[in-house]
Amino acid sequence: MKVLIIEDEAPAARKLEKLLKEIDSTIEVVDVIESVEEGIEWLEENQHPDVLFSDIQLADGISFLIFEKVLPKCPIIFTT
């Protein structure tokens, strides 16, 4: 399963990635995105993952702004 993490706090992103790998070692974290701008760009330019984990409050705004611009083709799990 391919996973995208949107989280601006590096320790929280690392912890989530570690937890996911403990649950299933075959999970592949394709990228960790840190901002609204970067999230929009990534989703426009890359194949969408199987699932997306997203913090709500990012340094440059709320993650909902990403999803107003680009509708992901996968489930979103909010981790806040």
Side-chain angles (χ1 to χ4, degrees), residues 5-8 33-40 43 52-72 76-80:
I5 297 174
I6 300 176
E7 172 61 69
D8 62 337
I33 303 301
E34 299 180 358
S35 69
V36 170
E37 183 178 328
E38 187 180 357
I40 292 167
L43 288 169
L52 192 155
F53 288 86
S54 180
D55 189 10
I56 293 175
Q57 185 63 51
L58 303 172
D60 64 341
I62 59 172
S63 60
F64 299 117
L65 297 172
I66 298 170
F67 312 128
E68 287 178 2
K69 297 280 185 183
V70 182
L71 185 60
I76 303 168
I77 298 173
F78 290 101
T79 55
T80 187

Side-chain angles (χ1 to χ4, degrees), residues 4-43:
L4 176 65
I5 297 174
I6 300 176
E7 172 61 69
D8 62 337
E9 296 179 25
R14 284 192 303 271
K15 183 175 181 177
L16 177 56
E17 185 170 358
K18 181 180 179 230
L19 288 170
L20 291 169
K21 297 272 185 178
E22 287 175 3
I23 292 168
D24 182 346
S25 62
T26 66
I27 290 175
E28 176 188 354
V29 175
V30 294
D31 210 342
V32 176
I33 303 301
E34 299 180 358
S35 69
V36 170
E37 183 178 328
E38 187 180 357
I40 292 167
E41 183 178 306
W42 196 97
L43 288 169

